[in-house]
Amino acid sequence: MNILVTGSAGFIGSHLTSRLLNDGHAVIGVDNYISGQRANTKRFFDHPRFRFVEADVSLGMPDTHESLDYVLHFASPASPPHYQQHPIETLMVGAQGTQNALELARRHDAKFLLASTSEVYGDPNVHPQPESYWGHVNPNGIRSCYDEAKRYAEAITMAYHRYHGLDTRIVRIFNTYGPRMRHDDGRVVTNFVHQALAGEPLTVYGDGQQTRSFQFVDDLIEGVTRLMSVRHHEPVNIGNPDEYTVLEFAQIIRDLIDPSLDIIHRPMPQDDPRQRRPDITLAKSLLNWEPRVTLREGLARTIEGFREDRRLLESSDRRGWRPLTFHVAGEG
Amino acid sequence: MNILVTGSAGFIGSHLTSRLLNDGHAVIGVDNYISGQRANTKRFFDHPRFRFVEADVSLGMPDTHESLDYVLHFASPASPPHYQQHPIETLMVGAQGTQNALELARRHDAKFLLASTSEVYGDPNVHPQPESYWGHVNPNGIRSCYDEAKRYAEAITMAYHRYHGLDTRIVRIFNTYGPRMRHDDGRVVTNFVHQALAGEPLTVYGDGQQTRSFQFVDDLIEGVTRLMSVRHHEPVNIGNPDEYTVLEFAQIIRDLIDPSLDIIHRPMPQDDPRQRRPDITLAKSLLNWEPRVTLREGLARTIEGFREDRRLLESSDRRGWRPLTFHVAGEG
């Protein structure tokens, strides 16, 4: 198939591009690098079935002269430090960006898949969250630039399906980790791996008994590709329901990198991320999908990816493509 | 002040325009007549301080060469039959339309007020609804084209306030009735008045014991103009918390028009409107505002307005401006 991926230089978009190329498809990647990384484009630059267009999909979609079979809309800042730095761009890529991608799919009579998020559930008062749960989101708080943009993106996707008969899919992506994560995304896995690779103590906020559920990126991509090939227009959760405490994450990462490192505790910040856990009953029955990668294995592969990135950065002559942009705040 | 009103040909936009002109302001009205009525523009056509631009604010704002002091964004289909007929236009006027209006305000260093709605509360599980309630909205149901568009509009309004320092206001408008309502809006007051004026029995669905709260449009406009002049950026509810049963509405309207008419009962349809009731504590303290028009008085004035519209329609020669477009489905 000919597939256009918006956000192809992002963490998830680039893994999706890898998988689609491996599966024999042709991919047109689009990114404006607001939060995507040039290294994730360079990665595919010599691939004969990959083309890249640097463009802001909120302003318009690149003209593609060949036919398109699928449009996958993954473009958006996704981590709190990024979307809070770019609130208006985040709102726009959810609204104008999604609509431009839907219109492109409509012109090409292509299928369309929206990358939505567990953030549409907000601060849930139902655990775990099934797709039928309507969520608990503050429509005008500081996170609303992301949460409401994604809820709007779902609404307009369903409107194009209902009104124009477009063949659409919506995946609600829960917390995901793996190689190629941005090093400044502020999330717990990234922070711990960075600290441990730098030989520093790992910082746990509070007593570390708060839990998180994270899926390894390969599991997510497997779920997305399965969803692409079934006809189901309502949202589908893809996430890992296994919960670990933050302290367990710290301990596993420390043990994989350097068991002699300390784990230190700091006071809990006010805006600690909200706790969510996917109900994946639908994905199991509809896609015969469930996560397969264990936390230990996923973290080992993530650490290996981060190590490789550090080597690339150190060996880069910085005259041509920069392999990665580092903005690590405070954690060295 | 020089004030631009989007949706000036709508029910509420036109009452707002009347009030602003009466208060001595100059008004630029903008509408594309997707759900606005040309009669509501004709009404002000000879007014020396009124100018009108026919434009779709989702596609761009008219260039205005004079300065602007306030941008009031009231454009949107607002009744279920209209927004479900135009779901994508409804989504667009919430996103692109709101952003275009915000950008216009920013260019002119003008203040901005967003007409939001009690629909952001969705199908609430808190009664009455204070502004702090986050709502209970299905992000991808058939009403989501309106509900999510307005939640998005609130989010981007707050983003422009936080990020660009724009001086913004958000009013959450609850059910409103009065003269100049569209005759095909499908709401209970409109339906009853139409049936009674046509000498037909009034149709009540179910036993009529379900309740509604409606504010008279003059009360709403008073609240909006008070909100314009205070500095409060978070949303403010403006609505009438008095609840009446649907049967009481039917009885009052019948008695005001023709006490000999029958009230007949029909089975309740599946998508009966959701029940909401405003908590107006904030408007009372912040604006010293509360509704003043009694239901009986408001209905009498509404009926008088509808009678006048019927006379205008009957006397219209239809060669020039049509005073009203009638699309009364089934209720003749």
Side-chain angles (χ1 to χ4, degrees):
Chain A
M1 289 196 289
N2 287 327
I3 301 174
L4 186 137
V5 178
T6 76
S8 63
F11 162 47
I12 292 173
S14 78
H15 281 279
L16 182 60
T17 300
S18 294
R19 168 67 184 264
L20 295 171
L21 292 171
N22 284 345
D23 288 353
H25 301 296
V27 174
I28 301 173
V30 187
D31 212 295
N32 67 346
Y33 298 123
I34 267 197
S35 59
Q37 300 182 102
R38 292 182 187 273
N40 284 335
T41 302
K42 194 186 181 196
R43 200 179 293 283
F44 310 117
F45 231 64
D46 296 329
H47 196 291
R49 278 181 277 104
F50 181 75
R51 283 206 299 126
F52 180 77
V53 182
E54 184 168 341
D56 182 344
V57 298
S58 299
L59 304 179
M61 296 300 287
D63 249 327
T64 160
H65 296 294
E66 60 255 74
S67 68
L68 283 179
D69 303 293
Y70 232 118
V71 174
L72 304 171
H73 183 41
F74 279 68
S76 179
S79 72
H82 295 139
Y83 63 67
Q84 284 171 17
Q85 190 187 347
H86 301 288
I88 292 164
E89 291 87 346
T90 303
L91 284 154
M92 288 180 74
V93 78
Q96 288 94 320
T98 303
Q99 187 169 19
N100 288 337
L102 286 161
E103 282 292 335
L104 184 73
R106 199 155 82 93
R107 280 202 302 279
H108 284 271
D109 201 17
K111 296 185 176 69
F112 176 88
L113 186 144
L114 170 70
S116 183
T117 167
S118 60
E119 292 282 339
V120 301
Y121 299 121
D123 197 1
N125 29 36
V126 169
H127 291 279
Q129 295 84 47
E131 290 84 352
S132 57
Y133 176 55
W134 290 357
H136 184 221
V137 169
N138 181 348
N140 45 61
I142 58 162
R143 282 170 171 270
S144 66
C145 61
Y146 185 62
D147 302 3
E148 291 297 342
K150 287 293 191 181
R151 290 173 67 95
Y152 181 99
E154 288 198 4
I156 197 167
T157 298
M158 289 305 292
Y160 269 73
H161 169 64
R162 292 195 183 104
Y163 194 80
H164 290 306
L166 196 69
D167 191 0
T168 57
R169 314 279 185 282
I170 298 172
V171 57
R172 287 186 179 153
I173 300 172
F174 283 68
N175 277 343
T176 306
Y177 73 101
R180 310 187 198 169
M181 289 175 86
R182 271 189 68 137
H183 294 214
D184 58 349
D185 68 2
R187 298 186 197 201
V188 63
V189 172
T190 318
N191 290 347
F192 289 157
V193 173
H194 261 289
Q195 290 180 316
L197 287 178
E200 295 175 358
L202 285 70
T203 312
V204 167
Y205 293 95
D207 63 3
Q209 293 308 307
Q210 65 276 33
T211 61
R212 297 281 180 275
S213 59
F214 273 94
Q215 68 184 328
F216 188 64
V217 64
D218 288 8
D219 282 332
L220 166 67
I221 300 300
E222 179 63 30
V224 170
T225 55
R226 289 189 190 203
L227 179 59
M228 286 173 67
S229 62
V230 299
R231 239 178 212 282
H232 183 89
H233 307 296
E234 306 283 326
V236 179
N237 288 341
I238 298 286
N240 192 327
D242 292 344
E243 289 183 289
Y244 292 86
T245 68
V246 167
L247 189 60
E248 285 172 311
F249 278 105
Q251 287 164 338
I252 298 174
I253 290 168
R254 189 252 324 254
D255 294 350
L256 284 167
I257 293 177
D258 179 358
S260 74
L261 292 173
D262 286 332
I263 292 176
I264 59 174
H265 294 262
R266 289 271 172 77
M268 186 83 82
Q270 272 214 321
D271 63 339
D272 197 54
R274 301 177 281 198
Q275 191 181 339
R276 281 179 295 259
R277 181 170 168 249
D279 179 330
I280 58 170
T281 310
L282 177 62
K284 280 183 179 170
S285 65
L286 180 74
L287 310 175
N288 191 28
W289 174 90
E290 60 185 326
R292 302 216 169 274
V293 180
T294 65
L295 183 62
R296 188 166 287 272
E297 182 192 340
L299 286 175
R301 289 167 61 184
T302 303
I303 291 165
E304 187 40 44
F306 274 47
R307 281 201 169 113
E308 200 173 307
D309 289 345
R310 291 171 73 96
R311 282 194 296 270
L312 280 171
L313 183 70
E314 280 155 20
S315 69
S316 166
D317 67 1
R318 291 170 180 261
R319 275 174 307 182
W321 282 80
R322 286 186 302 156
L324 275 171
T325 311
F326 275 75
H327 301 285
V328 184
E331 288 123 322
Chain B
M1 289 196 289
N2 287 328
I3 301 176
L4 186 138
V5 178
T6 77
S8 63
F11 162 49
I12 293 172
S14 77
H15 281 279
L16 182 60
T17 300
S18 293
R19 169 66 185 264
L20 295 172
L21 292 172
N22 283 344
D23 287 352
H25 302 296
V27 175
I28 302 172
V30 186
D31 212 297
N32 67 347
Y33 298 123
I34 268 198
S35 59
Q37 302 183 101
R38 291 182 189 275
N40 284 334
T41 302
K42 194 185 180 194
R43 199 179 295 283
F44 310 116
F45 231 65
D46 296 329
H47 196 292
R49 279 181 275 104
F50 180 74
R51 282 207 302 124
F52 181 77
V53 183
E54 184 168 341
D56 183 344
V57 297
S58 300
L59 304 180
M61 296 300 287
D63 248 327
T64 162
H65 297 294
E66 61 255 76
S67 68
L68 282 179
D69 303 293
Y70 232 119
V71 175
L72 303 171
H73 183 41
F74 279 70
S76 179
S79 72
H82 295 139
Y83 63 68
Q84 284 172 17
Q85 190 187 347
H86 301 289
I88 292 164
E89 291 86 347
T90 302
L91 283 154
M92 289 179 74
V93 78
Q96 287 94 320
T98 303
Q99 188 170 16
N100 288 337
L102 286 160
E103 281 292 335
L104 183 73
R106 199 155 83 93
R107 279 202 300 280
H108 283 270
D109 201 17
K111 296 186 176 71
F112 176 88
L113 185 145
L114 171 69
S116 184
T117 167
S118 61
E119 292 282 339
V120 301
Y121 299 121
D123 197 1
N125 29 37
V126 169
H127 292 277
Q129 294 84 48
E131 290 84 353
S132 57
Y133 176 54
W134 290 357
H136 184 220
V137 169
N138 180 349
N140 46 59
I142 58 163
R143 281 170 172 271
S144 65
C145 61
Y146 185 62
D147 302 3
E148 291 298 341
K150 286 294 192 182
R151 290 173 66 95
Y152 180 99
E154 288 197 4
I156 197 167
T157 298
M158 288 305 293
Y160 268 72
H161 168 65
R162 292 195 183 104
Y163 194 80
H164 290 306
L166 197 69
D167 191 0
T168 58
R169 313 280 186 281
I170 298 172
V171 56
R172 287 187 178 152
I173 300 172
F174 283 68
N175 277 343
T176 306
Y177 72 100
R180 311 186 198 169
M181 290 175 85
R182 270 191 69 138
H183 294 212
D184 58 348
D185 69 2
R187 296 185 197 199
V188 64
V189 172
T190 319
N191 290 347
F192 289 157
V193 173
H194 261 289
Q195 290 180 318
L197 287 178
E200 294 175 359
L202 285 69
T203 312
V204 167
Y205 294 96
D207 63 4
Q209 292 309 308
Q210 65 275 31
T211 60
R212 298 280 180 276
S213 60
F214 274 92
Q215 68 184 328
F216 188 63
V217 64
D218 288 8
D219 282 332
L220 166 67
I221 300 300
E222 178 63 29
V224 170
T225 53
R226 289 188 188 203
L227 179 58
M228 285 173 67
S229 63
V230 299
R231 241 177 211 279
H232 182 89
H233 307 295
E234 307 282 326
V236 179
N237 289 339
I238 299 286
N240 192 326
D242 292 344
E243 288 183 290
Y244 292 86
T245 69
V246 168
L247 189 60
E248 286 173 310
F249 278 105
Q251 287 164 339
I252 298 174
I253 290 168
R254 190 254 320 259
D255 294 350
L256 284 167
I257 294 177
D258 177 357
S260 74
L261 291 174
D262 286 334
I263 292 175
I264 59 175
H265 294 263
R266 289 271 171 78
M268 187 83 83
Q270 271 213 321
D271 62 339
D272 197 55
R274 301 176 279 196
Q275 193 181 336
R276 281 180 295 260
R277 181 169 168 249
D279 180 330
I280 58 169
T281 309
L282 177 61
K284 280 182 179 170
S285 64
L286 181 73
L287 310 175
N288 191 26
W289 173 91
E290 61 185 326
R292 303 218 168 270
V293 181
T294 66
L295 182 62
R296 187 167 288 271
E297 181 192 340
L299 285 174
R301 288 168 61 184
T302 303
I303 291 164
E304 187 41 46
F306 274 48
R307 279 201 171 113
E308 199 174 307
D309 289 343
R310 290 170 74 95
R311 281 194 296 272
L312 281 171
L313 184 70
E314 279 154 20
S315 70
S316 165
D317 67 1
R318 290 169 180 264
R319 276 173 308 184
W321 283 77
R322 287 187 301 157
L324 274 171
T325 312
F326 274 75
H327 302 284
V328 183
E331 288 121 319

